Amino acid sequence: DTEVTQTPKHLVMGMTNKKSLKCEQHMGHRAMYWYKQKAKKPPELMFVYSYEKLSINESVPSRFSPECPNSSLLNLHLHALQPEDSALYLCASSRLLAGASYEQYFGPGTRLTVT
Amino acid sequence: AQKITQTQPGMFVQEKEAVTLDCTYDTSDQSYGLFWYKQPSSGEMIFLIYQGSYDEQNATEGRYSLNFQKARKSANLVISASQLGDSAMYFCAYEGGSEKLVFGKGTKLTVNP
């Protein structure tokens, strides 16, 4: 299984809603990531979990709350979002390569629209 | 901080021809990896090819090859025999052992029939 899955594929939410994005991988990867990508821009790193612990938080607003319940699952809880948070949210997991770099596998993404 | 530069916002190529997408990087790291990803309009980031800084041979994966010139700090992607399905955004990315990928701004490739 060389796949990262994400649900839902599309999400429309109001600014007062609470919703969650889910990401799952069964490749035994120890690190998982959340990225935000606006149209025609590269992905921007939000969070990194390593061995189920948050290792990197790129100064993301608190209305985004990540959670890693186990080594295969990564959630992103959303609350009180703004219209400018509308974007494609990508999840990834990584494995260590022989050259000491980490190869990241990406999921298909969740297209989020905040109204 | 590492920096990745993709100087071609858009590229056009005729079907069945080869195309080179440029990528340069700036780093003082000794050990690092360079990646190319393809992103179709559907949104998924598809891994294409990887080059480690200590790899002596240029990486190849099917129709994709990476022209790695370490001294010039360039890692250009060559796509041979372009197909209509190759039309997409292409991102070059750098990883220096910190688990963080640094992406370039991307190049939008259009393959014309």
Side-chain angles (χ1 to χ4, degrees), chain A residues 41-58:
Chain A
K41 298 286 186 183
E44 298 171 22
L45 182 65
M46 300 174 73
F47 304 103
V48 181
Y49 272 82
S50 184
Y51 291 113
E52 302 168 45
K53 292 191 188 307
L54 183 64
S55 60
I56 297 175
N57 177 341
E58 295 286 278

Side-chain angles (χ1 to χ4, degrees), chain A residues 4 30-31 33 35 37 40-45 48-50 55-56 58 88 90 94 97-109 111, chain B residues 31-35 37 39-47 50-55 89 91 95-101 103-106 108:
Chain A
V4 177
R30 68 176 190 86
Y33 310 73
Y35 288 87
Q37 187 179 23
K40 300 183 181 180
K41 298 286 186 183
E44 298 171 22
L45 182 65
V48 181
Y49 272 82
S50 184
S55 60
I56 297 175
E58 295 286 278
L88 178 68
L90 292 163
S94 69
L97 298 171
S101 291
Y102 289 87
E103 178 185 357
Q104 294 193 18
Y105 293 72
F106 285 83
R111 288 197 186 273
Chain B
S31 177
Y32 53 87
L34 295 155
F35 299 82
Y37 287 88
Q39 189 175 40
S41 56
S42 59
E44 185 170 3
M45 295 285 281
I46 302 167
F47 165 75
Y50 160 77
Q51 180 84 42
S53 58
Y54 291 116
D55 293 341
M89 281 291 289
F91 291 99
E95 201 280 332
S98 66
E99 299 184 295
K100 290 176 66 170
L101 273 180
F103 286 91
K105 291 186 175 181
K108 183 175 180 181

Side-chain angles (χ1 to χ4, degrees), chain B:
Chain B
Q2 294 79 18
K3 184 177 176 182
I4 299 290
T5 303
Q6 294 181 252
T7 57
Q8 307 152 316
M11 287 284 285
F12 294 87
V13 65
Q14 287 297 122
E15 195 177 6
K16 300 180 184 176
E17 292 185 351
V19 63
T20 298
L21 306 185
D22 295 340
C23 174
T24 58
Y25 58 95
D26 184 17
T27 186
S28 57
D29 294 337
Q30 296 300 309
S31 177
Y32 53 87
L34 295 155
F35 299 82
W36 277 92
Y37 287 88
K38 171 185 177 182
Q39 189 175 40
S41 56
S42 59
E44 185 170 3
M45 295 285 281
I46 302 167
F47 165 75
L48 295 179
I49 197 166
Y50 160 77
Q51 180 84 42
S53 58
Y54 291 116
D55 293 341
E56 295 184 353
Q57 304 275 350
N58 283 345
T60 60
E61 291 283 351
R63 294 186 299 111
Y64 304 107
S65 60
L66 202 152
N67 184 1
F68 181 49
Q69 298 187 44
K70 191 172 181 178
R72 298 179 62 181
K73 295 186 177 177
S74 73
N76 298 337
L77 176 70
V78 180
I79 305 174
S80 62
S82 297
Q83 302 172 355
L84 295 178
D86 293 335
S87 293
M89 281 291 289
Y90 288 80
F91 291 99
C92 179
Y94 172 99
E95 201 280 332
S98 66
E99 299 184 295
K100 290 176 66 170
L101 273 180
V102 178
F103 286 91
K105 291 186 175 181
T107 296
K108 183 175 180 181
L109 177 66
T110 302
V111 181
N112 294 317

